[in-house]
Amino acid sequence: MRKITLVLLLLLTSYSVTVRAQHSVAREWNDVLLDAIRIDFARPTVHARNLFHTSLVMYDAWAVFDSQATTVFLGKTFGGYNCPFNGIAYPADVNTARHQIISYAMYRLLNHRFSNSPGGIITEQSFTDLFNSYGYDKNFTSTDYSTGDYRALGNYLASQMIAFGLQDNSNEQFGYANSYYTPANEPMIMLTNHYSDTNDMADPNRWQPLAFDVFIDQSGNVFPQNTPAFLSPEWGQVTPFCLKNQDLQILNDGFDCYVYNNPGAPAYIQNSNENGIDDPYKWNFALVASWSSHLDPNDNTMIDISPGALGNFDIANYPQTFAEYQAFYDFMDGGDPSTGRPLNPYTNQPYAPQLVKRSDYARVLAEFWADGPSSETPPGHWFTILNYVSDHPATIKKLGGQGPTLSDLEWDVKTYLTLGGAVHDCAVNIWGIKGYYDYVRPVSAIRYMAGKGQSSNASLPSYDPHGMPLIPGRIELIQPGDPLAGPSNENVNKIKIYTWKGPDDITDPNTQFAGVGWILGTHWWPYQRPTFVSPPFAGYLSGHSTFSRAAAEVMTMVTGDEFFPGGMGTFDIEQNNFLVFEQGPSQNMTLQWATYRDASDQTSLSRIWGGIHPPIDDIRGRIIGDKIGKDTYNLALQYFNGTLSTSPEETVLTTKLFPIPFTDQFNITSDYNGLLNVELYSIDGKLILNRVVQKSNRTVTLDTKNIASGFYFVKLRNASNDVILVKKVVKS
């Protein structure tokens, strides 16, 4: 199994990581969970949720016996679900009690969550092997903890989390299937050596399903459908951890879309009046095609990939305008404007240069960050990074780098809860955005524009306002005599792209690589395996950018240090023994990062080189991830310190609207007293009614005679402008 190796550099001497012989019980259960994810379907939303829920369970099992910390779920109302808890006697041996609660809870919960996994037999055996290694009895299934049995409390905690998961709007009980979403476009057939001259999508701004003979996901699992459905377009409704009601909009695009931290619309295609590259949509996707030209190991362009040359870009300087995007991403040569760091702050020595082929670097990044080096999905990949940072001998387990040194168990449950909450909320936030904006992937956009022609010059052949922009050396028209012209010149004046040539040129991926050359634009492939091509969900926004930035913020805050231990983290890549769908890389190399944020930013660039995301999907995801990482850590601290006050969601539980449907009036009843702002929005987001009332009695009645029949959303704000309720209502 490929592993991340974190390297401590002291006085220019390299020390490999020494893994601790003993791990906490939480770590051991997290390890088997990550193994289970690796052989399950590659579903980042589902596994972000699994990582969070298991982390929550383990944290609560620890916190129930802590004098300061408070539980999140046990004995609380969380996300509208009440988990009763009558208390249990403080144990004579608290470590043994916590071990029992965690193990019984995790054993029950994981067996439930992975019961339908394609690797279910192996997974169930791994759970049982770990459970049995502790000497526990899987036949003990009682949930009656009133007897003081900590095993029963573990079973009870698992049963409550299972029940919670069946009503958290994930639709788990129906295999996480979609309830409302319908794709706007017909599928594009993705077969090697089988192409259409056009990709006539009904809407080139919207996501397009892909149809395969056999679809194999990034974990290597054969998918049950040859045309996989959009994964989790309704995930914005799933109960979050730190996301705030005041950041929520309920929008409608054929179904109710719960969108937190709305980034606004992506770049939609324009009917260009020549100069197609000036259209942000065309620039974004043409850049993806341009970066695909960097993937040829015969290209001897060398770059320095050390932290002395790459990384160290401030989020405050991320691009906002189209002109700033054009300046940030190097269209022709790839990469961003980061300049690295002159010194390692731990050694006070310069980072040693590492010159490698740009082609090897780009190809390795695309593979390494795709789903993690062992297919644990992006959320699981960051748990792997956390675990190896925790194992590093230079890591001092002080939360935030301050206070007492924590035991391995306390460190693990607190960092898992924080990281788990962050990646879970990234999934809720970003897939809500994906479901609403439903944005196109590069493979569809590029093939669509290439099929239309060129949009740069109306006096040249094949002009179309939706065509590709012409870029000398990258995107051109086929001329007579061109090798691509065809025996009857049937391809003359069609679009050709200088790019990775794709799977048609690979028979044996162990000994061959495709290289780069001119191909028909309608034959363009992302740098992915041909049985996968692109993730089965919309592009905007990038889950990788958001997960990684949130995780980087969490790692920075829980360790109290933005740098990897010793000032650098590394991952060793062996020549011709890393890439999956073609031979490579052509040399040994080492991925290196000074900080967690540098690793995150590298993740984002990897998705462009991999042909999965254009820049418009990237930056806004990084910004939202930054916010979620910080908000999650700050909320988790309140649980750890026992300082959490009544949350807005608990207020929501005591606030109701009636009748629904309403006619000439509707009523608000609530325990809340004080100024209450009532906003009524139409289904398309227009503000219809805005009233401020003094809520001194339990019920307030509003006149709605002049409001037309239809669907509306009511939003209630308290005197602090906090949203305390968002609800869909009907005027009959």
Side-chain angles (χ1 to χ4, degrees):
M1 182 183 297
R2 300 167 181 155
K3 296 181 179 178
I4 288 180
T5 303
L6 298 174
V7 177
L8 175 63
L9 296 181
L10 294 174
L11 301 177
L12 299 181
T13 303
S14 179
Y15 296 87
S16 61
V17 171
T18 301
V19 178
R20 293 182 172 90
Q22 297 295 322
H23 287 134
S24 76
V25 62
R27 168 63 179 277
E28 290 176 339
W29 280 108
N30 182 256
D31 280 343
V32 296
L33 167 58
L34 290 171
D35 283 340
I37 291 172
R38 290 171 181 129
I39 57 175
D40 191 28
F41 293 118
R43 300 174 292 181
T45 50
V46 172
H47 294 310
R49 176 176 174 268
N50 285 331
L51 286 160
F52 173 51
H53 288 179
T54 54
S55 297
L56 191 160
V57 161
M58 293 193 291
Y59 167 77
D60 273 13
W62 173 87
V64 72
F65 299 127
D66 188 77
S67 60
Q68 181 180 29
T70 58
T71 58
V72 179
F73 181 69
L74 187 64
K76 301 291 177 61
T77 296
F78 179 76
Y81 181 89
N82 180 251
C83 176
F85 179 55
N86 298 320
I88 194 168
Y90 193 88
D93 185 342
V94 69
N95 291 329
T96 297
R98 283 170 168 160
H99 197 288
Q100 290 178 343
I101 299 169
I102 288 172
S103 295
Y104 276 83
M106 289 292 285
Y107 182 68
R108 305 300 177 199
L109 179 58
L110 291 180
N111 272 294
H112 168 78
R113 289 286 172 86
F114 288 87
S115 59
N116 296 318
S117 168
I121 295 175
I122 297 172
T123 294
E124 182 181 356
Q125 189 61 53
S126 72
F127 300 153
T128 300
D129 287 346
L130 180 59
F131 191 73
N132 288 343
S133 74
Y134 300 140
Y136 293 145
D137 180 7
K138 68 177 183 180
N139 295 314
F140 180 83
T141 59
S142 172
T143 59
D144 183 9
Y145 62 86
S146 65
T147 62
D149 194 317
Y150 303 109
R151 300 173 301 167
L153 180 56
N155 288 336
Y156 173 75
L157 185 52
S159 70
Q160 287 293 312
M161 181 54 70
I162 290 169
F164 168 76
L166 296 176
Q167 57 83 67
D168 71 343
N169 298 317
S170 65
N171 209 22
E172 178 191 335
Q173 57 269 48
F174 296 106
Y176 309 100
N178 301 335
S179 299
Y180 306 108
Y181 174 85
T182 302
N185 293 302
E186 292 297 316
M188 178 166 56
I189 297 174
M190 299 303 300
L191 301 176
T192 56
N193 296 304
H194 177 93
Y195 301 95
S196 170
D197 286 341
T198 62
N199 178 29
D200 284 326
M201 294 189 289
D203 187 342
N205 296 311
R206 303 286 291 272
W207 179 72
Q208 181 181 40
L210 302 179
F212 301 83
D213 271 350
V214 177
F215 176 70
I216 301 175
D217 70 14
Q218 284 189 275
S219 294
N221 294 301
V222 177
F223 211 69
Q225 292 87 33
N226 292 349
T227 304
F230 191 131
L231 175 72
S232 308
E234 299 145 18
W235 206 258
Q237 299 185 47
V238 173
T239 301
F241 177 57
C242 78
L243 296 177
K244 298 179 176 64
N245 281 339
Q246 57 261 40
D247 294 327
L248 172 66
Q249 291 178 278
I250 303 176
L251 307 173
N252 192 280
D253 185 33
F255 63 96
D256 290 346
C257 301
Y258 285 61
V259 177
Y260 292 90
N261 300 305
N262 188 352
Y268 294 135
I269 196 167
Q270 299 174 10
N271 288 318
S272 301
N273 182 18
E274 302 189 297
N275 299 321
I277 196 64
D278 294 335
D279 174 355
Y281 177 104
K282 299 182 180 74
W283 177 86
N284 269 273
F285 292 108
L287 180 141
V288 176
S290 177
W291 284 26
S292 294
S293 70
H294 303 155
L295 305 174
D296 189 350
N298 291 323
D299 178 356
N300 291 319
T301 302
M302 306 295 286
I303 60 173
D304 182 0
I305 66 168
S306 74
L310 299 179
N312 194 22
F313 199 90
D314 191 335
I315 190 172
N317 296 321
Y318 281 163
Q320 299 293 327
T321 67
F322 178 43
E324 290 171 346
Y325 270 77
Q326 290 173 301
F328 183 86
Y329 297 92
D330 190 326
F331 189 98
M332 298 302 288
D333 294 328
D336 61 25
S338 65
T339 57
R341 293 171 169 79
L343 296 176
N344 180 328
Y346 286 85
T347 67
N348 205 32
Q349 297 292 324
Y351 288 101
Q354 184 188 180
L355 293 173
V356 303
K357 289 183 178 181
R358 179 182 59 186
S359 59
D360 282 332
Y361 177 68
R363 293 190 301 155
V364 164
L365 289 196
E367 179 67 25
F368 177 78
W369 288 111
D371 252 4
S374 298
S375 298
E376 56 265 18
T377 75
H381 191 179
W382 280 95
F383 268 79
T384 302
I385 293 173
L386 169 60
N387 285 338
Y388 279 88
V389 169
S390 298
D391 284 341
H392 199 288
T395 297
I396 300 173
K397 296 184 176 180
K398 294 183 177 183
L399 195 68
Q402 300 177 344
T405 300
L406 307 183
S407 69
D408 287 350
L409 178 60
E410 183 174 353
W411 170 265
D412 286 341
V413 297
K414 287 183 174 180
T415 57
Y416 287 166
L417 177 69
T418 311
L419 182 57
V423 296
H424 172 68
D425 279 18
C426 287
V428 173
N429 198 148
I430 296 307
W431 266 257
I433 291 169
K434 287 178 183 287
Y436 178 66
Y437 288 108
D438 195 33
Y439 198 50
V440 64
R441 290 280 185 177
V443 66
S444 296
I446 291 171
R447 290 190 179 191
Y448 169 81
M449 290 190 292
K452 292 295 183 184
Q454 57 89 13
S455 59
S456 291
N457 191 334
S459 66
L460 293 177
S462 305
Y463 177 79
D464 189 283
H466 279 198
M468 288 287 283
L470 297 177
I471 311 292
R474 296 294 164 85
I475 304 169
E476 299 180 358
L477 289 176
I478 297 172
Q479 304 296 324
D482 190 299
L484 293 174
S488 303
N489 286 326
E490 63 269 19
N491 294 327
V492 169
N493 294 327
K494 291 181 181 179
I495 291 291
K496 66 176 182 177
I497 301 176
Y498 189 71
T499 184
W500 184 64
K501 291 190 290 186
D504 293 346
D505 283 58
I506 301 171
T507 303
D508 182 358
N510 294 314
T511 60
Q512 295 175 310
F513 56 84
V516 165
W518 289 101
I519 66 170
L520 284 166
T522 51
H523 295 192
W524 185 86
W525 289 88
Y527 188 70
Q528 306 289 326
R529 68 182 76 186
T531 52
F532 174 74
V533 181
S534 281
F537 43 82
Y540 183 80
L541 292 168
S542 168
H544 278 69
S545 291
T546 314
F547 285 132
S548 295
R549 186 64 190 209
E553 291 306 309
V554 166
M555 295 294 297
T556 298
M557 289 183 289
V558 298
T559 62
D561 190 347
E562 64 178 316
F563 286 85
F564 277 87
M568 187 164 74
T570 69
F571 182 86
D572 295 324
I573 306 291
E574 184 179 351
Q575 179 183 7
N576 292 331
N577 194 31
F578 183 76
L579 301 181
V580 173
F581 47 87
E582 70 172 359
Q583 185 188 49
S586 65
Q587 63 189 107
N588 293 331
M589 60 186 296
T590 302
L591 297 180
Q592 299 174 325
W593 319 280
T595 70
Y596 305 112
R597 294 177 183 126
D598 290 345
S600 169
D601 288 348
Q602 186 187 80
T603 305
S604 298
L605 297 181
S606 79
R607 302 304 276 169
I608 302 176
W609 267 308
I612 297 300
H613 286 291
I616 194 64
D617 294 355
D618 172 21
I619 295 297
R620 296 174 186 177
R622 298 194 208 188
I623 292 169
I624 290 175
D626 184 86
K627 181 179 187 297
I628 289 175
K630 291 181 170 73
D631 287 349
T632 303
Y633 179 73
N634 290 331
L635 177 58
L637 279 184
Q638 295 181 64
Y639 286 109
F640 303 158
N641 297 331
T643 57
L644 187 71
S645 60
T646 301
S647 67
E649 69 161 304
E650 290 173 334
T651 306
V652 169
L653 296 176
T654 63
T655 303
K656 297 180 180 178
L657 304 180
F658 65 93
I660 299 177
F662 63 92
T663 52
D664 294 339
Q665 65 181 35
F666 71 83
N667 306 295
I668 304 167
T669 180
S670 176
D671 291 337
Y672 171 78
N673 286 316
L675 290 177
L676 188 67
N677 194 75
V678 182
E679 301 168 1
L680 187 70
Y681 293 87
S682 63
I683 203 73
D684 59 357
K686 294 179 181 177
L687 182 63
I688 303 299
L689 179 149
N690 189 2
R691 302 275 176 81
V692 177
V693 297
Q694 178 66 42
K695 179 65 180 64
S696 55
N697 301 312
R698 281 194 57 82
T699 303
V700 168
T701 300
L702 294 178
D703 185 350
T704 54
K705 291 187 183 72
N706 296 324
I707 295 175
S709 298
F711 292 93
Y712 296 90
F713 294 101
V714 174
K715 183 179 288 187
L716 304 182
R717 299 181 186 271
N718 62 20
S720 300
N721 206 37
D722 295 326
V723 176
I724 62 173
L725 180 71
V726 178
K727 187 174 181 65
K728 183 177 178 180
V729 295
V730 180
K731 169 76 182 287
S732 62

